[in-house]
Amino acid sequence: MSTKISQLLAGFPVVVESAVQWGEMDAMGHVNNAVYFRYFETARIAYFETTEFFSLMNASGLGPILAHTDCRFRLPLKHPDELRIGARVVAIGDDRLKMEYRVVSVSHGAIAAEGTGRVVSYDYAAAAKAPFPDAVRSAIVAAEGRELEVISR
């Protein structure tokens, strides 16, 4: 990863690589706005795999569920391009966390989009929110390497 790309993704413990696909472009000749949310999802899933949230989910029935997301589009993307997509957690509460995402275009050496997501710890069997298990909370703090802002109700 180039120095500039690394600088743009500093502070993001999980970064995934992706190529812009021809089929992601729309009639206007750039990546369709809905695709950016797929990029965010790819990074979010990689983050949860890193923190072993999915392993816990298989054992306990608890898992993440997306409650809200948004995106600020900063640069239109086109095929061909390579992307680096970062994900990080910036705040955590008893049963929710706030993530930030950043999509960086390698060909432009610039940020193409930024977004946030609110993710809730969810008990799929009970169909209700549930507190984050201590193991998940600890893995998130370890992945971030810093104390996180606390979300209060």
Side-chain angles (χ1 to χ4, degrees), residues 138-153:
S138 296
I140 289 170
V141 171
E144 294 300 330
R146 61 183 165 74
E147 290 297 315
L148 300 173
E149 178 185 331
V150 175
I151 300 172
S152 58
R153 296 224 176 241

Side-chain angles (χ1 to χ4, degrees), residues 125-138:
K129 291 187 290 185
F132 281 109
D134 290 338
V136 170
R137 182 181 298 277
S138 296

Side-chain angles (χ1 to χ4, degrees), residues 96-112:
R96 67 197 73 201
L97 57 82
K98 180 180 178 184
M99 296 190 85
E100 290 182 346
Y101 315 107
R102 182 171 289 164
V103 178
V104 176
S105 162
V106 172
S107 67
H108 293 280
I111 298 169

Side-chain angles (χ1 to χ4, degrees), residues 59-110:
S60 69
L62 295 181
I65 192 167
L66 185 64
H68 172 84
T69 190
D70 60 59
C71 182
R72 178 172 179 238
F73 305 100
R74 298 181 61 177
L75 174 74
L77 293 171
K78 296 181 179 185
H79 173 82
D81 199 350
E82 291 292 322
L83 307 175
R84 302 297 179 265
I85 309 156
R88 65 182 169 197
V89 171
V90 294
I92 193 166
D94 291 336
D95 60 4
R96 67 197 73 201
L97 57 82
K98 180 180 178 184
M99 296 190 85
E100 290 182 346
Y101 315 107
R102 182 171 289 164
V103 178
V104 176
S105 162
V106 172
S107 67
H108 293 280

